[in-house]
Amino acid sequence: MEITAANNKRSDGLAIYKMKLDKTRRPRSGATDKLTVVYVSTFPPRVCGIATFTEDLTHAMDEMLAPMLTSRIVAMSRSGVLGYRYPRKVFLQINQDNQEEYTETALRINRMDEVQLVNIQHEFGIFGGGRGAHLIPFVQALRKPLVITFHTVLPDPDEELYNVVRSLAESASAIIVMTDLSKGILAQQYAIPQKKIKVIPHGIPSQPYTSSQQAKRTLGYSDRVVLSTFGLINRDKGLEYVIEALPQVIRQYPNFVYIIFGATHPEVLRNEGESYRNFLIEKVYGLGLYDHVKLYNRYFPLSELLHFLKATDIYISSSLEPKQAVSGTLSYALGMGRPVISTAFAQAREVVTGEVGIVVDFRNSQAYADAILRLLEDEKLRLQLGENAYFRTRNMTWANVALQYARVFSEYAPGLAHISEQKSLPRIKLNHLIHLTDTFGIVQFANLTRRDVSSGYTLDDNARALAVTALYWGKLGSSAEDPSVTKQKRELLRLVNTYLGFISFVAQSDGLFQNFVNSDGTLDDVSNQRVDLEEANARAIYALALTATTASLPKTIRQRAFDLLQKRLRSGIFFNSPRAIARCIKAFCILLDGKGHIEGIDLKGTLRSYCDRLVELYQAVSQADWQWFETYLTYSNGVMPEALLLGYRALRDERYLTVGKATLDFLIKQSFVNGIYVPIGQDGWYHQNGKHHHFDQQPEEVNSMVDALSTGYAVAGDEEYSGLMYQAFYWFLGDNTFKQLVYDRTTGGCYDGVGKTTINLNQGAESTVSYLLARLVIG
C-alpha cells in the first residue's frame, strides 16, 4: 500500500516547517546595517604576532556577526619597507614613524558614519616615537568610542612609559588585557581604574583533541618522542638553554627529537642577520645533537603550524623575558592539548599550573633536563597534563574570544548595543553527524569528537538523525544542476537509508520498535526491558511520517518509510507519556497536512483524542501559578505546547490554542532569565513547589524550545515568540550561563551540555542532532 502523498504534488511533510519558516523571521537589525569596527594593528602579509592575532580575531568576529557588523583594518607599516599587498579588509595604512599620519587617519575615521568603534591592538614596537608615543595624537583626535588591547603590560614603569600608557588609557572607553596579572599591574602601577580593564584571554584555534601519533607519522617522526618550540626566532627565546639540556635526555631516550619551527624575526634579521640561528646550529653540532635537533627556518601557515603542534609530545616555552605579558605560542600549545614546560614569565606564572605543565627557572639547562625527563618517564602524567590543558582552554577558542570582544564593544558603542544578540547563523554542517554514523546507524556517545562505538546505538538517536536528513533534503530543494548540492544529496541518501535500515532492524514482528542496540549489532534486551519504550517509538513515528511525506525524496525511500510507519501504527498507538503523545500529534499533523492516508487508521480522530488527552492532563494539574501538564518540568518540555498549537492548526479547536499558549508562556517564564535562555536543568529538574534546578542544561531541551517558539509564532502570530526563538537558539552560540559556544563550528558537532562549572566537551549523537534540528527550524 502506498501513502497518498507519494503522488500528490501538494503533499509534503515539510509543509508545516515551510509554514513556520515563512512566518518566523529574524529580528530586524534596524540601525545595525553596515556597521563597522576599525582595528588599528599590523596585518598579514606583514610577519608579526600582532598581525596574526588581528587576522584571527577579525575573522572570528566576521564569522559570528557579518553582515550586520564588518571589520576594517588600519595597517601599521614601517618606513623604508615596500608596500605589502594587503587584502581588501585593509582600507588605510599609517607609517609608524610619520606622526602626521596618525592624526590624519583619526580625522578620516571620524568622518565615517558607519564606524561605531575603534580597537587598537597595541604593542609598543609597532608604533613610532618613544614608547610608541606617536599613537597619542591619534587617540586624542579620535571621536569614536575606543577600546585598546594591550598585548604587553610592563611592570615598574619609568616616567616616560607611565605617561604614554596613561595618556592612551585616558582616551579609551575600555582596556583589554589577556591575564589577571596584567590587569593588576595597570590598576596598581598605572593608576587605571579596575572597572575600565577587561580580561579576555589570547585566542586559540578550535581543534579536536588528538594524540601525537598520526601527525608524527605524516611528518616522518613516528618512532620519535617529539619536543617542540615554535614562533619567530630571536635571542629572547633562550633556545640555547633547552639545547644544552638535551644530552642528558638523549642518553636515556635516544629516539628523542627537538623541533624548532619558525623563521627568524624580521627585525632581528634586519639588524643582525642570522647570527643567533647560526649560534644555535653551532651549539647543536658542538654537542653532537645534529640527529636530535631540527630547525625549520620559514614562516609557517596556520595549517602547517597546527600539524607540527599535533605531532608534539611536550612543548617548550623558553622565553627569557620575565615581564612578557602573554605568549601566543604558549596559548596555542595549551589549546592543542600539549603538556608544557615553560620559564616563569608573566603569563606562564598564571596559566602553567601543575595541572597542565612544569615551570622552570630562566637560563637553567638542568631544570629543563629534569622537567623533560620527568614527563618522559611518566607517560600517564604527560598525557593527563595535555588533556587538562585542552579542557581548560576551551574558553580561549577564537569564537569564544570574539564573543567576549563583541560584548565589550556593545557596552561602549551605542550603535552596537544589541549587536552581540544578532549573530550570524552558522552554515548547516553535517560533518560530525556523518562521522558519528557507521554502516549500521548513528553511534550513541562520543569521547570528545571520537565516536564511542562501545556505547552502542539507540532508536532515539537514529530517529532524530532521520528527521535531520529529511528536513535537510527538503531544504536543499531541486538544485540538481549544482554539483555541490548533488554531492550532498548522495551523502544524504546514504544516511537516510542507514537510519531507515536501523529502524527496520529494531522493528519487531508486531510492529513495535526496540530502542537499545549493542555495539555488536545485537538487541540490548536488558535495557529494552528496563526502560519505557514509548518515547523512542513516538520519535520514530514522527521521523517516519516526516520522511514518508517529504515529496522531493525518492519514491522508494518514502515508500520504505511509509511501510515501517504503517506497520507500527497498526500495531497500536496507545501512549501514556505526555511527550510520546505530543510527538505522535506532530506526526499526525504532518500526515494530515500532506494528505496522507493510512487504511484502518483514523488520523484525525486519533489526533483529536491525543490533543484532548494533553488538555485533560493540563486541567488536572494546572493552577494559577503552575500552567503545565505535570507537576514537574523535565526534558523536551517544549514539545507538549508545540503539539497543541499544531493540533489547533489542524483541527481549529480553540481549547488547544488556549492551552498551548498558556503552557508555552509558562515555560517561557521559567526558562528566560535576564534576557538569557536557561534550560531546565536535569540535575533535579524543577518540581512544583520545589527548587528550580538550572544545571546540567541539555541541547535536547533547547531544540524543543526553539521548535515550540517557531510553531508558536507561526500558529498564534505572537511576534514575541519569534524573538525568543532566536534567543533560545543563541544558547548554542554563546548566549548561555557559561557565555561560551556550545556548538563547535570546526566539527559541526555540539557539546553534550552546560554544567554549573564546565561544559561537557563530548559531542555525542543526541546533542549534535538536537543542534541540527534547531538549526534547520531557524532557517
Side-chain angles (χ1 to χ4, degrees):
M1 181 175 292
E2 193 170 302
I3 193 166
T4 307
N7 294 314
N8 191 322
K9 288 185 178 179
R10 292 184 63 253
S11 301
D12 191 348
L14 297 176
I16 193 167
Y17 287 92
K18 291 176 179 175
M19 174 272 295
K20 287 161 66 173
L21 292 175
D22 288 342
K23 292 205 69 177
T24 305
R25 56 183 174 80
R26 195 93 181 263
R28 290 177 58 87
S29 58
T32 62
D33 294 336
K34 298 182 180 179
L35 301 184
T36 299
V37 170
V38 170
Y39 298 81
V40 180
S41 173
T42 54
F43 205 75
R46 181 171 174 179
V47 178
C48 169
I50 306 300
T52 303
F53 179 98
T54 305
E55 179 183 41
D56 290 337
L57 174 62
T58 55
H59 174 78
M61 292 289 287
D62 292 344
E63 188 175 58
M64 180 177 64
L65 296 171
M68 294 163 286
L69 183 69
T70 59
S71 304
R72 304 292 301 280
I73 308 297
V74 174
M76 301 303 303
S77 62
R78 295 187 301 259
S79 299
V81 177
L82 294 176
Y84 295 105
R85 297 186 64 180
Y86 285 116
R88 294 180 62 183
K89 186 177 284 190
V90 175
F91 75 109
L92 290 173
Q93 296 183 52
I94 296 176
N95 179 341
Q96 68 183 52
D97 297 318
N98 187 331
Q99 192 165 358
E100 291 182 359
E101 289 189 17
Y102 288 84
T103 302
E104 292 170 359
T105 302
L107 294 175
R108 181 169 175 178
I109 292 172
N110 290 342
R111 295 192 294 270
M112 300 172 66
D113 292 339
E114 70 272 22
V115 175
Q116 304 298 302
L117 181 139
V118 173
N119 176 221
I120 296 173
Q121 292 293 327
H122 183 276
E123 184 61 82
F124 291 101
I126 67 174
F127 301 106
R131 305 293 185 133
H134 285 1
L135 188 58
I136 295 174
F138 174 90
V139 301
Q140 291 177 340
L142 190 67
R143 295 296 176 264
K144 303 286 186 178
L146 172 65
V147 174
I148 300 176
T149 302
F150 281 111
H151 287 253
T152 294
V153 177
L154 296 173
D156 307 318
D158 58 25
E159 184 177 1
E160 181 185 36
L161 177 60
Y162 179 88
N163 289 335
V164 168
V165 172
R166 284 281 304 173
S167 295
L168 296 175
E170 286 171 359
S171 297
S173 302
I175 291 168
I176 294 173
V177 294
M178 300 181 194
T179 65
D180 291 325
L181 183 61
S182 293
K183 178 177 180 177
I185 292 171
L186 286 181
Q188 295 163 20
Q189 300 185 28
Y190 291 86
I192 297 171
Q194 287 203 32
K195 65 180 181 180
K196 197 174 193 176
I197 309 168
K198 316 294 181 181
V199 179
I200 301 178
H202 193 293
I204 59 173
S206 177
Q207 293 285 311
Y209 177 78
T210 60
S211 72
S212 61
Q213 292 307 311
Q214 183 176 348
K216 285 199 287 191
R217 280 195 297 271
T218 62
L219 293 173
Y221 294 115
S222 57
D223 59 344
R224 310 292 292 270
V225 177
V226 176
L227 184 79
S228 78
T229 297
F230 83 92
L232 297 174
I233 303 303
N234 60 77
R235 293 185 183 277
D236 285 340
K237 283 282 188 182
L239 297 170
E240 61 269 32
Y241 299 101
V242 183
I243 293 170
E244 290 170 358
L246 299 186
Q248 292 183 59
V249 176
I250 291 163
R251 281 195 291 271
Q252 296 185 47
Y253 296 92
N255 63 337
F256 182 90
V257 64
Y258 180 33
I259 302 173
I260 302 169
F261 53 106
T264 300
H265 196 290
E267 294 295 332
V268 173
L269 199 59
R270 183 177 298 106
N271 295 327
E272 60 177 85
E274 293 285 14
S275 61
Y276 180 60
R277 184 178 295 272
N278 291 335
F279 162 72
L280 294 177
I281 293 172
E282 289 176 6
K283 186 171 287 292
V284 167
Y285 276 83
L287 293 172
L289 299 174
Y290 43 84
D291 286 333
H292 300 279
V293 179
K294 309 295 180 182
L295 288 93
Y296 292 86
N297 186 9
R298 63 184 179 87
Y299 185 77
F300 283 74
L302 180 63
S303 60
E304 289 187 59
L305 184 154
L306 295 178
H307 197 62
F308 270 90
L309 279 176
K310 288 178 181 178
T312 297
D313 294 301
I314 303 170
Y315 186 79
I316 295 283
S317 185
S318 53
S319 172
L320 296 180
E321 179 47 69
K323 298 179 181 180
Q324 183 175 345
V326 68
S327 166
T329 62
L330 172 62
S331 299
Y332 274 38
L334 291 169
M336 292 298 293
R338 295 304 178 250
V340 168
I341 298 171
S342 177
T343 52
F345 63 90
Q347 182 194 13
R349 294 198 301 272
E350 186 168 317
V351 302
V352 183
T353 65
E355 286 77 29
V356 301
I358 300 172
V359 175
V360 298
D361 294 335
F362 296 98
R363 295 179 171 85
N364 190 331
S365 296
Q366 186 60 52
Y368 280 120
D370 293 342
I372 294 168
L373 287 170
R374 179 185 172 195
L375 294 184
L376 292 181
E377 290 164 359
D378 192 341
E379 182 181 15
K380 184 177 180 180
L381 172 64
R382 186 173 75 243
L383 294 175
Q384 186 61 60
L385 295 180
E387 288 186 13
N388 292 345
Y390 183 83
F391 282 107
R392 292 182 180 211
T393 52
R394 293 310 87 199
N395 67 311
M396 295 168 57
T397 61
W398 281 114
N400 282 318
V401 167
L403 268 177
Q404 295 177 71
Y405 267 82
R407 292 186 181 112
V408 172
F409 291 172
S410 65
E411 185 177 349
Y412 295 100
L416 303 180
H418 301 291
I419 197 66
S420 63
E421 302 170 7
Q422 300 182 24
K423 299 174 178 61
S424 298
L425 298 178
R427 67 181 180 84
I428 296 170
K429 188 173 183 178
L430 301 186
N431 297 41
H432 195 58
L433 179 77
I434 294 168
H435 170 68
L436 290 174
T437 303
D438 59 21
T439 57
F440 185 69
I442 188 168
V443 174
Q444 186 175 190
F445 298 141
N447 291 320
L448 296 180
T449 58
R450 299 183 302 277
R451 68 187 183 201
D452 180 6
V453 179
S454 67
S455 66
Y457 312 81
T458 66
L459 174 62
D460 282 320
D461 293 332
N462 281 272
R464 291 187 186 101
L466 178 61
V468 166
T469 52
L471 288 170
Y472 192 41
W473 180 277
K475 186 177 181 63
L476 289 176
S478 57
S479 304
E481 69 281 358
D482 186 335
S484 65
V485 172
T486 301
K487 183 178 179 181
Q488 289 182 72
K489 285 193 168 185
R490 283 199 299 268
E491 185 63 37
L492 278 175
L493 286 178
R494 183 186 71 80
L495 294 172
V496 169
N497 279 307
T498 298
Y499 304 139
L500 282 173
F502 180 89
I503 295 175
S504 179
F505 175 80
V506 299
Q508 304 300 288
S509 58
D510 59 2
L512 297 175
F513 299 129
Q514 300 286 3
N515 189 15
F516 298 95
V517 178
N518 297 313
S519 60
D520 62 359
T522 60
L523 289 173
D524 182 352
D525 294 328
V526 174
S527 296
N528 286 322
Q529 292 172 13
R530 186 181 68 247
V531 178
D532 192 302
L533 301 180
E534 281 195 11
E535 290 194 45
N537 274 252
R539 278 196 181 92
I541 289 170
Y542 165 74
L544 290 169
L546 186 63
T547 305
T549 57
T550 300
S552 56
L553 276 168
K555 182 178 179 180
T556 54
I557 287 179
R558 286 183 283 126
Q559 187 63 49
R560 187 181 182 190
F562 177 66
D563 289 344
L564 286 165
L565 175 64
Q566 180 176 240
K567 187 174 182 180
R568 175 62 187 85
L569 293 182
R570 285 179 172 173
S571 70
I573 46 177
F574 307 106
F575 292 123
N576 294 308
S577 162
R579 287 162 186 78
I581 290 171
R583 289 192 173 89
C584 281
I585 290 172
K586 291 180 64 174
F588 293 161
C589 287
I590 288 173
L591 291 170
L592 289 171
D593 195 72
K595 297 188 181 297
H597 169 71
I598 299 178
E599 187 175 334
I601 301 293
D602 179 4
L603 291 178
K604 185 170 287 189
T606 306
L607 172 62
R608 185 178 299 280
S609 67
Y610 271 152
C611 288
D612 287 345
R613 178 58 181 151
L614 286 184
V615 171
E616 290 170 3
L617 290 171
Y618 167 79
Q619 291 172 339
V621 170
S622 65
Q623 299 176 4
D625 61 348
W626 190 263
Q627 297 284 301
W628 198 240
F629 307 93
E630 302 167 300
T631 58
Y632 43 78
L633 290 165
T634 55
Y635 61 93
S636 291
N637 294 294
V639 71
M640 292 178 284
E642 180 198 11
L644 280 180
L645 291 170
L646 291 173
Y648 164 75
R649 178 176 176 267
L651 302 174
R652 293 297 167 182
D653 188 321
E654 291 291 335
R655 294 178 303 149
Y656 306 156
L657 177 63
T658 300
V659 176
K661 277 183 58 65
T663 51
L664 180 55
D665 291 343
F666 174 75
L667 183 59
I668 289 169
K669 186 177 180 180
Q670 310 309 317
S671 304
F672 287 84
V673 180
N674 298 323
I676 298 293
Y677 175 59
V678 184
I680 304 299
Q682 71 166 9
D683 186 13
W685 307 118
Y686 179 24
H687 290 259
Q688 186 179 13
N689 301 321
K691 182 179 179 181
H692 187 160
H693 295 271
H694 296 298
F695 303 99
D696 292 342
Q697 300 167 14
Q698 303 295 304
E700 181 186 30
E701 174 69 0
V702 186
N703 167 214
S704 72
M705 178 60 98
V706 169
D707 230 349
L709 290 166
S710 174
T711 299
Y713 179 63
V715 173
D718 189 334
E719 290 198 12
E720 183 184 8
Y721 292 152
S722 177
L724 291 173
M725 178 191 70
Y726 281 97
Q727 285 187 39
F729 181 77
Y730 289 156
W731 180 90
F732 292 108
L733 304 184
D735 287 355
N736 50 58
T737 51
F738 221 70
K739 298 184 178 179
Q740 290 185 31
L741 271 79
V742 183
Y743 171 64
D744 186 341
R745 291 176 182 262
T746 303
T747 65
C750 179
Y751 299 134
D752 278 352
V754 173
K756 191 171 185 178
T757 60
T758 187
I759 289 178
N760 183 339
L761 297 179
N762 295 323
Q763 297 180 22
E766 180 184 296
S767 55
T768 294
V769 175
S770 293
Y771 165 79
L772 288 169
L773 288 170
R775 176 65 183 84
L776 285 161
V777 167
I778 287 286

